[in-house]
Amino acid sequence: MKVILALNQAAGDQAAFNVFQQVIDNGARVLGLATGSTPEGLYRLLRESSLDFSAMTSVNLDEYVGIAPDNPQSYHYFMNQHLFNAKPFAHSYLPNGLATDPDAEVKRYDQVVADNPVDLQLLGIGRDGHIGFNEPGSPFDGGTHRVKLTESTIEANARFFASKDEVPREAYTMGIGTILKSREILLMAYGDKKADAVQKMVEGPLTTAVAASALQKMDNVVVIVDPAAAAKLQPASISKRL
Ligand code: PGA
């Protein structure tokens, strides 16, 4: 894992954009995408760029259960707004939050990822160390599954809803095992609320209690942090400063 400390969020977004541009220039076919506040600046840079995704495929990490793709709270809607409407891909896949047969949906999505091996997977990190919606305790070799969200995640995501009660309690997510199969991984983390999770991911024990610690020993992982998210890291953990 290589940790890049950016001067601020804008510098981090630009560094993330450069990683995207490089893998696309190197012939990447499949981008693994993420939702949440963290990648919004990167998506703006991608929207405003001359990059063309029309021959590429995207696969997203996760989706809430019980929400239709055209519901503004869905991750599908988020992706349309932040990227796909401006920069369509040839194929874009997300889990189907309205699937009536969860087992079949999990199998379908694992097949989607198997058929479209991810060249670059973008990740955020939860305050509890989750990646995708792999909450504490998720096995490192897990495939796509349906999860119950933790209280910490429900509280963190309540800001996108009228009230905490409206936050869905379940989601479909790629597993940690699915994520680890990506050729390259780029994780972004900004702000002091992520400092604990970042410290545990980078310096803590490898433990399923912190899903992101699964990335620690991988040499194909780049982590971009701002000073607030890096506040609890040892200087020696930082590979590069921008
Ligand atoms: P955020 O979410 O980007 O909205 O902070 C990240 C995550 O929970 O993975």
mmCIF file of all heavy atoms in Angstrom, residues 174-225:
data_model
loop_
_atom_site.group_PDB
_atom_site.id
_atom_site.type_symbol
_atom_site.label_atom_id
_atom_site.label_comp_id
_atom_site.label_asym_id
_atom_site.label_seq_id
_atom_site.Cartn_x
_atom_site.Cartn_y
_atom_site.Cartn_z
ATOM 1 N N MET A 174 -20.339 -5.617 -3.214
ATOM 2 C CA MET A 174 -19.235 -6.518 -3.558
ATOM 3 C C MET A 174 -18.565 -6.924 -2.248
ATOM 4 O O MET A 174 -18.501 -6.120 -1.319
ATOM 5 C CB MET A 174 -18.153 -5.769 -4.364
ATOM 6 C CG MET A 174 -18.429 -5.510 -5.795
ATOM 7 S SD MET A 174 -16.871 -4.796 -6.470
ATOM 8 C CE MET A 174 -17.502 -4.107 -7.978
ATOM 9 N N GLY A 175 -18.017 -8.135 -2.193
ATOM 10 C CA GLY A 175 -17.290 -8.547 -0.990
ATOM 11 C C GLY A 175 -15.856 -8.041 -1.002
ATOM 12 O O GLY A 175 -15.383 -7.512 -2.016
ATOM 13 N N ILE A 176 -15.183 -8.217 0.120
ATOM 14 C CA ILE A 176 -13.768 -7.818 0.166
ATOM 15 C C ILE A 176 -12.964 -8.673 -0.818
ATOM 16 O O ILE A 176 -12.073 -8.175 -1.509
ATOM 17 C CB ILE A 176 -13.205 -7.965 1.602
ATOM 18 C CG1 ILE A 176 -13.975 -7.056 2.557
ATOM 19 C CG2 ILE A 176 -11.711 -7.619 1.635
ATOM 20 C CD1 ILE A 176 -13.600 -7.228 4.024
ATOM 21 N N GLY A 177 -13.311 -9.965 -0.893
ATOM 22 C CA GLY A 177 -12.619 -10.849 -1.849
ATOM 23 C C GLY A 177 -12.796 -10.354 -3.279
ATOM 24 O O GLY A 177 -11.847 -10.393 -4.082
ATOM 25 N N THR A 178 -14.003 -9.886 -3.601
ATOM 26 C CA THR A 178 -14.268 -9.348 -4.948
ATOM 27 C C THR A 178 -13.381 -8.131 -5.193
ATOM 28 O O THR A 178 -12.749 -8.000 -6.250
ATOM 29 C CB THR A 178 -15.748 -8.885 -5.062
ATOM 30 O OG1 THR A 178 -16.590 -9.708 -4.281
ATOM 31 C CG2 THR A 178 -16.208 -8.845 -6.493
ATOM 32 N N ILE A 179 -13.345 -7.234 -4.208
ATOM 33 C CA ILE A 179 -12.580 -5.984 -4.349
ATOM 34 C C ILE A 179 -11.086 -6.291 -4.539
ATOM 35 O O ILE A 179 -10.412 -5.677 -5.361
ATOM 36 C CB ILE A 179 -12.808 -5.084 -3.113
ATOM 37 C CG1 ILE A 179 -14.256 -4.580 -3.091
ATOM 38 C CG2 ILE A 179 -11.814 -3.923 -3.078
ATOM 39 C CD1 ILE A 179 -14.682 -3.909 -1.795
ATOM 40 N N LEU A 180 -10.583 -7.269 -3.779
ATOM 41 C CA LEU A 180 -9.148 -7.578 -3.815
ATOM 42 C C LEU A 180 -8.714 -8.157 -5.158
ATOM 43 O O LEU A 180 -7.520 -8.206 -5.455
ATOM 44 C CB LEU A 180 -8.776 -8.542 -2.685
ATOM 45 C CG LEU A 180 -8.895 -7.986 -1.265
ATOM 46 C CD1 LEU A 180 -8.486 -9.042 -0.247
ATOM 47 C CD2 LEU A 180 -8.047 -6.732 -1.073
ATOM 48 N N LYS A 181 -9.676 -8.621 -5.969
ATOM 49 C CA LYS A 181 -9.300 -9.160 -7.289
ATOM 50 C C LYS A 181 -9.006 -8.054 -8.300
ATOM 51 O O LYS A 181 -8.524 -8.321 -9.398
ATOM 52 C CB LYS A 181 -10.436 -10.034 -7.834
ATOM 53 C CG LYS A 181 -10.529 -11.376 -7.125
ATOM 54 C CD LYS A 181 -11.525 -12.287 -7.818
ATOM 55 C CE LYS A 181 -11.802 -13.513 -6.946
ATOM 56 N NZ LYS A 181 -13.212 -13.814 -6.822
ATOM 57 N N SER A 182 -9.316 -6.801 -7.957
ATOM 58 C CA SER A 182 -9.088 -5.693 -8.900
ATOM 59 C C SER A 182 -7.601 -5.568 -9.195
ATOM 60 O O SER A 182 -6.765 -5.790 -8.326
ATOM 61 C CB SER A 182 -9.563 -4.370 -8.283
ATOM 62 O OG SER A 182 -10.851 -4.521 -7.748
ATOM 63 N N ARG A 183 -7.303 -5.176 -10.427
ATOM 64 C CA ARG A 183 -5.891 -5.063 -10.818
ATOM 65 C C ARG A 183 -5.208 -3.958 -10.015
ATOM 66 O O ARG A 183 -4.108 -4.128 -9.512
ATOM 67 C CB ARG A 183 -5.808 -4.761 -12.319
ATOM 68 C CG ARG A 183 -4.472 -5.014 -12.916
ATOM 69 C CD ARG A 183 -4.589 -5.615 -14.305
ATOM 70 N NE ARG A 183 -5.218 -4.699 -15.229
ATOM 71 C CZ ARG A 183 -4.546 -3.803 -15.957
ATOM 72 N NH1 ARG A 183 -3.237 -3.716 -15.866
ATOM 73 N NH2 ARG A 183 -5.172 -3.001 -16.786
ATOM 74 N N GLU A 184 -5.888 -2.813 -9.898
ATOM 75 C CA GLU A 184 -5.365 -1.721 -9.072
ATOM 76 C C GLU A 184 -6.496 -1.153 -8.237
ATOM 77 O O GLU A 184 -7.662 -1.194 -8.653
ATOM 78 C CB GLU A 184 -4.779 -0.605 -9.938
ATOM 79 C CG GLU A 184 -3.493 -1.005 -10.631
ATOM 80 C CD GLU A 184 -2.907 0.133 -11.432
ATOM 81 O OE1 GLU A 184 -2.695 1.220 -10.859
ATOM 82 O OE2 GLU A 184 -2.677 -0.071 -12.631
ATOM 83 N N ILE A 185 -6.139 -0.607 -7.085
ATOM 84 C CA ILE A 185 -7.139 -0.054 -6.168
ATOM 85 C C ILE A 185 -6.695 1.348 -5.744
ATOM 86 O O ILE A 185 -5.517 1.564 -5.421
ATOM 87 C CB ILE A 185 -7.300 -0.968 -4.934
ATOM 88 C CG1 ILE A 185 -7.876 -2.331 -5.356
ATOM 89 C CG2 ILE A 185 -8.183 -0.309 -3.862
ATOM 90 C CD1 ILE A 185 -7.962 -3.367 -4.253
ATOM 91 N N LEU A 186 -7.639 2.265 -5.773
ATOM 92 C CA LEU A 186 -7.381 3.644 -5.344
ATOM 93 C C LEU A 186 -8.392 3.992 -4.263
ATOM 94 O O LEU A 186 -9.596 4.009 -4.522
ATOM 95 C CB LEU A 186 -7.552 4.585 -6.543
ATOM 96 C CG LEU A 186 -7.530 6.078 -6.258
ATOM 97 C CD1 LEU A 186 -6.195 6.506 -5.665
ATOM 98 C CD2 LEU A 186 -7.789 6.862 -7.548
ATOM 99 N N LEU A 187 -7.913 4.238 -3.044
ATOM 100 C CA LEU A 187 -8.805 4.596 -1.934
ATOM 101 C C LEU A 187 -8.558 6.052 -1.570
ATOM 102 O O LEU A 187 -7.409 6.478 -1.416
ATOM 103 C CB LEU A 187 -8.552 3.676 -0.744
ATOM 104 C CG LEU A 187 -9.491 3.850 0.461
ATOM 105 C CD1 LEU A 187 -9.724 2.504 1.164
ATOM 106 C CD2 LEU A 187 -8.981 4.882 1.481
ATOM 107 N N MET A 188 -9.655 6.810 -1.447
ATOM 108 C CA MET A 188 -9.551 8.226 -1.068
ATOM 109 C C MET A 188 -10.216 8.424 0.291
ATOM 110 O O MET A 188 -11.280 7.837 0.562
ATOM 111 C CB MET A 188 -10.278 9.102 -2.092
ATOM 112 C CG MET A 188 -9.769 8.932 -3.508
ATOM 113 S SD MET A 188 -10.945 9.600 -4.715
ATOM 114 C CE MET A 188 -10.666 11.347 -4.465
ATOM 115 N N ALA A 189 -9.604 9.276 1.130
ATOM 116 C CA ALA A 189 -10.200 9.576 2.442
ATOM 117 C C ALA A 189 -9.888 11.020 2.808
ATOM 118 O O ALA A 189 -8.722 11.440 2.769
ATOM 119 C CB ALA A 189 -9.645 8.639 3.514
ATOM 120 N N TYR A 190 -10.929 11.752 3.145
ATOM 121 C CA TYR A 190 -10.770 13.163 3.498
ATOM 122 C C TYR A 190 -11.462 13.462 4.825
ATOM 123 O O TYR A 190 -12.547 12.937 5.101
ATOM 124 C CB TYR A 190 -11.420 14.049 2.440
ATOM 125 C CG TYR A 190 -10.827 13.955 1.053
ATOM 126 C CD1 TYR A 190 -11.657 13.856 -0.060
ATOM 127 C CD2 TYR A 190 -9.449 13.995 0.843
ATOM 128 C CE1 TYR A 190 -11.133 13.801 -1.345
ATOM 129 C CE2 TYR A 190 -8.916 13.937 -0.438
ATOM 130 C CZ TYR A 190 -9.764 13.838 -1.529
ATOM 131 O OH TYR A 190 -9.246 13.780 -2.796
ATOM 132 N N GLY A 191 -10.861 14.314 5.605
ATOM 133 C CA GLY A 191 -11.528 14.860 6.785
ATOM 134 C C GLY A 191 -11.206 14.116 8.066
ATOM 135 O O GLY A 191 -10.828 12.940 8.062
ATOM 136 N N ASP A 192 -11.377 14.822 9.197
ATOM 137 C CA ASP A 192 -10.966 14.251 10.488
ATOM 138 C C ASP A 192 -11.828 13.058 10.913
ATOM 139 O O ASP A 192 -11.371 12.220 11.693
ATOM 140 C CB ASP A 192 -10.941 15.333 11.572
ATOM 141 C CG ASP A 192 -12.273 16.025 11.756
ATOM 142 O OD1 ASP A 192 -13.223 15.725 11.003
ATOM 143 O OD2 ASP A 192 -12.367 16.881 12.661
ATOM 144 N N LYS A 193 -13.029 12.943 10.391
ATOM 145 C CA LYS A 193 -13.875 11.803 10.776
ATOM 146 C C LYS A 193 -13.318 10.477 10.247
ATOM 147 O O LYS A 193 -13.722 9.407 10.682
ATOM 148 C CB LYS A 193 -15.301 12.009 10.277
ATOM 149 C CG LYS A 193 -16.031 13.125 10.998
ATOM 150 C CD LYS A 193 -17.505 13.131 10.674
ATOM 151 C CE LYS A 193 -18.254 14.163 11.486
ATOM 152 N NZ LYS A 193 -17.867 15.548 11.150
ATOM 153 N N LYS A 194 -12.386 10.560 9.304
ATOM 154 C CA LYS A 194 -11.800 9.340 8.725
ATOM 155 C C LYS A 194 -10.433 9.007 9.346
ATOM 156 O O LYS A 194 -9.849 7.979 9.007
ATOM 157 C CB LYS A 194 -11.656 9.490 7.208
ATOM 158 C CG LYS A 194 -12.957 9.800 6.476
ATOM 159 C CD LYS A 194 -13.941 8.651 6.583
ATOM 160 C CE LYS A 194 -15.305 8.985 5.983
ATOM 161 N NZ LYS A 194 -15.307 9.068 4.540
ATOM 162 N N ALA A 195 -9.927 9.887 10.222
ATOM 163 C CA ALA A 195 -8.549 9.715 10.709
ATOM 164 C C ALA A 195 -8.338 8.387 11.443
ATOM 165 O O ALA A 195 -7.325 7.715 11.241
ATOM 166 C CB ALA A 195 -8.162 10.888 11.609
ATOM 167 N N ASP A 196 -9.290 7.995 12.275
ATOM 168 C CA ASP A 196 -9.163 6.720 13.003
ATOM 169 C C ASP A 196 -9.138 5.543 12.044
ATOM 170 O O ASP A 196 -8.285 4.647 12.156
ATOM 171 C CB ASP A 196 -10.369 6.532 13.947
ATOM 172 C CG ASP A 196 -10.080 7.084 15.312
ATOM 173 O OD1 ASP A 196 -8.910 6.983 15.747
ATOM 174 O OD2 ASP A 196 -11.016 7.615 15.945
ATOM 175 N N ALA A 197 -10.110 5.531 11.127
ATOM 176 C CA ALA A 197 -10.211 4.416 10.189
ATOM 177 C C ALA A 197 -8.964 4.329 9.318
ATOM 178 O O ALA A 197 -8.454 3.226 9.048
ATOM 179 C CB ALA A 197 -11.470 4.573 9.321
ATOM 180 N N VAL A 198 -8.435 5.487 8.896
ATOM 181 C CA VAL A 198 -7.231 5.496 8.061
ATOM 182 C C VAL A 198 -6.046 4.933 8.853
ATOM 183 O O VAL A 198 -5.275 4.111 8.358
ATOM 184 C CB VAL A 198 -6.936 6.928 7.546
ATOM 185 C CG1 VAL A 198 -5.526 7.037 6.977
ATOM 186 C CG2 VAL A 198 -7.969 7.331 6.493
ATOM 187 N N GLN A 199 -5.919 5.352 10.109
ATOM 188 C CA GLN A 199 -4.799 4.856 10.931
ATOM 189 C C GLN A 199 -4.882 3.336 11.092
ATOM 190 O O GLN A 199 -3.875 2.635 10.950
ATOM 191 C CB GLN A 199 -4.821 5.560 12.298
ATOM 192 C CG GLN A 199 -3.560 5.353 13.116
ATOM 193 C CD GLN A 199 -3.558 4.043 13.907
ATOM 194 O OE1 GLN A 199 -4.632 3.558 14.269
ATOM 195 N NE2 GLN A 199 -2.385 3.498 14.146
ATOM 196 N N LYS A 200 -6.087 2.842 11.353
ATOM 197 C CA LYS A 200 -6.234 1.384 11.538
ATOM 198 C C LYS A 200 -5.992 0.633 10.233
ATOM 199 O O LYS A 200 -5.414 -0.449 10.221
ATOM 200 C CB LYS A 200 -7.635 1.071 12.068
ATOM 201 C CG LYS A 200 -7.803 1.476 13.524
ATOM 202 C CD LYS A 200 -9.207 1.195 13.998
ATOM 203 C CE LYS A 200 -9.379 1.643 15.440
ATOM 204 N NZ LYS A 200 -10.771 2.009 15.735
ATOM 205 N N MET A 201 -6.445 1.198 9.121
ATOM 206 C CA MET A 201 -6.230 0.557 7.819
ATOM 207 C C MET A 201 -4.743 0.444 7.501
ATOM 208 O O MET A 201 -4.277 -0.592 7.047
ATOM 209 C CB MET A 201 -6.922 1.380 6.721
ATOM 210 C CG MET A 201 -6.460 1.051 5.312
ATOM 211 S SD MET A 201 -7.327 1.985 4.046
ATOM 212 C CE MET A 201 -6.687 3.645 4.278
ATOM 213 N N VAL A 202 -3.990 1.536 7.755
ATOM 214 C CA VAL A 202 -2.590 1.602 7.322
ATOM 215 C C VAL A 202 -1.648 0.955 8.337
ATOM 216 O O VAL A 202 -0.710 0.249 7.962
ATOM 217 C CB VAL A 202 -2.177 3.084 7.084
ATOM 218 C CG1 VAL A 202 -0.705 3.183 6.708
ATOM 219 C CG2 VAL A 202 -3.044 3.723 6.003
ATOM 220 N N GLU A 203 -1.911 1.182 9.632
ATOM 221 C CA GLU A 203 -0.929 0.780 10.656
ATOM 222 C C GLU A 203 -1.436 -0.267 11.619
ATOM 223 O O GLU A 203 -0.658 -0.838 12.382
ATOM 224 C CB GLU A 203 -0.509 2.030 11.457
ATOM 225 C CG GLU A 203 0.192 3.067 10.609
ATOM 226 C CD GLU A 203 0.414 4.389 11.338
ATOM 227 O OE1 GLU A 203 -0.092 4.551 12.474
ATOM 228 O OE2 GLU A 203 1.093 5.259 10.766
ATOM 229 N N GLY A 204 -2.727 -0.524 11.603
ATOM 230 C CA GLY A 204 -3.293 -1.443 12.590
ATOM 231 C C GLY A 204 -3.115 -2.898 12.193
ATOM 232 O O GLY A 204 -2.588 -3.201 11.122
ATOM 233 N N PRO A 205 -3.538 -3.791 13.067
ATOM 234 C CA PRO A 205 -3.451 -5.215 12.721
ATOM 235 C C PRO A 205 -4.366 -5.558 11.552
ATOM 236 O O PRO A 205 -5.371 -4.887 11.334
ATOM 237 C CB PRO A 205 -3.915 -5.919 14.001
ATOM 238 C CG PRO A 205 -4.642 -4.892 14.802
ATOM 239 C CD PRO A 205 -4.126 -3.548 14.385
ATOM 240 N N LEU A 206 -3.983 -6.607 10.817
ATOM 241 C CA LEU A 206 -4.859 -7.147 9.774
ATOM 242 C C LEU A 206 -5.999 -7.849 10.490
ATOM 243 O O LEU A 206 -5.794 -8.882 11.110
ATOM 244 C CB LEU A 206 -4.092 -8.194 8.982
ATOM 245 C CG LEU A 206 -3.397 -7.804 7.703
ATOM 246 C CD1 LEU A 206 -2.735 -9.029 7.100
ATOM 247 C CD2 LEU A 206 -4.377 -7.199 6.715
ATOM 248 N N THR A 207 -7.181 -7.285 10.414
ATOM 249 C CA THR A 207 -8.290 -7.862 11.157
ATOM 250 C C THR A 207 -9.615 -7.597 10.449
ATOM 251 O O THR A 207 -9.818 -6.489 9.923
ATOM 252 C CB THR A 207 -8.359 -7.288 12.593
ATOM 253 O OG1 THR A 207 -9.600 -7.675 13.186
ATOM 254 C CG2 THR A 207 -8.262 -5.770 12.629
ATOM 255 N N THR A 208 -10.483 -8.589 10.471
ATOM 256 C CA THR A 208 -11.787 -8.389 9.834
ATOM 257 C C THR A 208 -12.610 -7.343 10.590
ATOM 258 O O THR A 208 -13.616 -6.866 10.076
ATOM 259 C CB THR A 208 -12.584 -9.704 9.760
ATOM 260 O OG1 THR A 208 -12.717 -10.240 11.075
ATOM 261 C CG2 THR A 208 -11.918 -10.706 8.840
ATOM 262 N N ALA A 209 -12.169 -6.962 11.800
ATOM 263 C CA ALA A 209 -12.861 -5.887 12.526
ATOM 264 C C ALA A 209 -12.707 -4.547 11.789
ATOM 265 O O ALA A 209 -13.492 -3.621 12.011
ATOM 266 C CB ALA A 209 -12.312 -5.771 13.946
ATOM 267 N N VAL A 210 -11.680 -4.450 10.934
ATOM 268 C CA VAL A 210 -11.470 -3.246 10.107
ATOM 269 C C VAL A 210 -11.326 -3.732 8.666
ATOM 270 O O VAL A 210 -10.250 -4.175 8.241
ATOM 271 C CB VAL A 210 -10.197 -2.477 10.536
ATOM 272 C CG1 VAL A 210 -10.009 -1.235 9.696
ATOM 273 C CG2 VAL A 210 -10.260 -2.119 12.020
ATOM 274 N N ALA A 211 -12.425 -3.653 7.926
ATOM 275 C CA ALA A 211 -12.427 -4.247 6.580
ATOM 276 C C ALA A 211 -11.274 -3.727 5.728
ATOM 277 O O ALA A 211 -10.616 -4.493 5.016
ATOM 278 C CB ALA A 211 -13.764 -3.964 5.898
ATOM 279 N N ALA A 212 -10.996 -2.424 5.823
ATOM 280 C CA ALA A 212 -9.973 -1.830 4.962
ATOM 281 C C ALA A 212 -8.571 -2.326 5.290
ATOM 282 O O ALA A 212 -7.654 -2.158 4.473
ATOM 283 C CB ALA A 212 -10.021 -0.303 5.073
ATOM 284 N N SER A 213 -8.371 -2.939 6.457
ATOM 285 C CA SER A 213 -7.027 -3.456 6.762
ATOM 286 C C SER A 213 -6.648 -4.578 5.795
ATOM 287 O O SER A 213 -5.463 -4.881 5.630
ATOM 288 C CB SER A 213 -6.914 -3.923 8.219
ATOM 289 O OG SER A 213 -7.646 -5.109 8.449
ATOM 290 N N ALA A 214 -7.628 -5.159 5.115
ATOM 291 C CA ALA A 214 -7.334 -6.186 4.105
ATOM 292 C C ALA A 214 -6.439 -5.644 2.987
ATOM 293 O O ALA A 214 -5.774 -6.408 2.293
ATOM 294 C CB ALA A 214 -8.634 -6.713 3.497
ATOM 295 N N LEU A 215 -6.420 -4.319 2.818
ATOM 296 C CA LEU A 215 -5.641 -3.699 1.732
ATOM 297 C C LEU A 215 -4.184 -3.474 2.121
ATOM 298 O O LEU A 215 -3.343 -3.183 1.269
ATOM 299 C CB LEU A 215 -6.252 -2.338 1.364
ATOM 300 C CG LEU A 215 -7.739 -2.318 1.011
ATOM 301 C CD1 LEU A 215 -8.223 -0.876 0.873
ATOM 302 C CD2 LEU A 215 -7.997 -3.086 -0.281
ATOM 303 N N GLN A 216 -3.898 -3.600 3.426
ATOM 304 C CA GLN A 216 -2.619 -3.135 3.970
ATOM 305 C C GLN A 216 -1.396 -3.737 3.290
ATOM 306 O O GLN A 216 -0.422 -3.050 3.035
ATOM 307 C CB GLN A 216 -2.590 -3.478 5.456
ATOM 308 C CG GLN A 216 -1.596 -2.725 6.254
ATOM 309 C CD GLN A 216 -1.705 -3.114 7.732
ATOM 310 O OE1 GLN A 216 -0.935 -3.921 8.203
ATOM 311 N NE2 GLN A 216 -2.659 -2.552 8.434
ATOM 312 N N LYS A 217 -1.439 -5.021 3.023
ATOM 313 C CA LYS A 217 -0.245 -5.698 2.489
ATOM 314 C C LYS A 217 -0.214 -5.735 0.963
ATOM 315 O O LYS A 217 0.681 -6.334 0.374
ATOM 316 C CB LYS A 217 -0.191 -7.148 3.003
ATOM 317 C CG LYS A 217 -0.206 -7.261 4.514
ATOM 318 C CD LYS A 217 1.180 -7.009 5.097
ATOM 319 C CE LYS A 217 1.159 -7.159 6.604
ATOM 320 N NZ LYS A 217 1.516 -5.909 7.283
ATOM 321 N N MET A 218 -1.206 -5.136 0.310
ATOM 322 C CA MET A 218 -1.283 -5.232 -1.144
ATOM 323 C C MET A 218 -0.388 -4.164 -1.780
ATOM 324 O O MET A 218 -0.386 -3.010 -1.352
ATOM 325 C CB MET A 218 -2.724 -5.000 -1.625
ATOM 326 C CG MET A 218 -3.775 -5.759 -0.857
ATOM 327 S SD MET A 218 -3.873 -7.484 -1.326
ATOM 328 C CE MET A 218 -4.495 -7.320 -2.992
ATOM 329 N N ASP A 219 0.367 -4.571 -2.813
ATOM 330 C CA ASP A 219 1.244 -3.570 -3.421
ATOM 331 C C ASP A 219 0.575 -2.851 -4.595
ATOM 332 O O ASP A 219 1.202 -2.030 -5.252
ATOM 333 C CB ASP A 219 2.592 -4.191 -3.823
ATOM 334 C CG ASP A 219 2.415 -5.344 -4.776
ATOM 335 O OD1 ASP A 219 1.295 -5.507 -5.288
ATOM 336 O OD2 ASP A 219 3.399 -6.071 -5.024
ATOM 337 N N ASN A 220 -0.685 -3.169 -4.852
ATOM 338 C CA ASN A 220 -1.396 -2.503 -5.958
ATOM 339 C C ASN A 220 -2.429 -1.499 -5.438
ATOM 340 O O ASN A 220 -3.389 -1.176 -6.120
ATOM 341 C CB ASN A 220 -2.094 -3.534 -6.842
ATOM 342 C CG ASN A 220 -3.111 -4.361 -6.060
ATOM 343 O OD1 ASN A 220 -3.095 -4.360 -4.834
ATOM 344 N ND2 ASN A 220 -3.997 -5.037 -6.757
ATOM 345 N N VAL A 221 -2.214 -1.025 -4.185
ATOM 346 C CA VAL A 221 -3.182 -0.108 -3.569
ATOM 347 C C VAL A 221 -2.535 1.261 -3.359
ATOM 348 O O VAL A 221 -1.447 1.361 -2.781
ATOM 349 C CB VAL A 221 -3.671 -0.656 -2.207
ATOM 350 C CG1 VAL A 221 -4.591 0.346 -1.522
ATOM 351 C CG2 VAL A 221 -4.386 -1.992 -2.390
ATOM 352 N N VAL A 222 -3.214 2.308 -3.837
ATOM 353 C CA VAL A 222 -2.810 3.685 -3.562
ATOM 354 C C VAL A 222 -3.880 4.321 -2.690
ATOM 355 O O VAL A 222 -5.078 4.189 -2.974
ATOM 356 C CB VAL A 222 -2.648 4.492 -4.876
ATOM 357 C CG1 VAL A 222 -2.454 5.975 -4.581
ATOM 358 C CG2 VAL A 222 -1.487 3.956 -5.681
ATOM 359 N N VAL A 223 -3.449 4.963 -1.615
ATOM 360 C CA VAL A 223 -4.370 5.665 -0.709
ATOM 361 C C VAL A 223 -4.059 7.148 -0.803
ATOM 362 O O VAL A 223 -2.903 7.552 -0.650
ATOM 363 C CB VAL A 223 -4.160 5.171 0.742
ATOM 364 C CG1 VAL A 223 -5.001 5.982 1.717
ATOM 365 C CG2 VAL A 223 -4.488 3.683 0.860
ATOM 366 N N ILE A 224 -5.077 7.957 -1.071
ATOM 367 C CA ILE A 224 -4.888 9.412 -1.107
ATOM 368 C C ILE A 224 -5.639 10.025 0.071
ATOM 369 O O ILE A 224 -6.846 9.787 0.227
ATOM 370 C CB ILE A 224 -5.397 10.002 -2.441
ATOM 371 C CG1 ILE A 224 -4.563 9.455 -3.598
ATOM 372 C CG2 ILE A 224 -5.340 11.531 -2.406
ATOM 373 C CD1 ILE A 224 -5.031 9.906 -4.977
ATOM 374 N N VAL A 225 -4.918 10.764 0.899
ATOM 375 C CA VAL A 225 -5.526 11.375 2.090
ATOM 376 C C VAL A 225 -5.202 12.866 2.139
ATOM 377 O O VAL A 225 -4.194 13.312 1.588
ATOM 378 C CB VAL A 225 -5.006 10.718 3.397
ATOM 379 C CG1 VAL A 225 -5.639 9.365 3.630
ATOM 380 C CG2 VAL A 225 -3.486 10.598 3.397
#
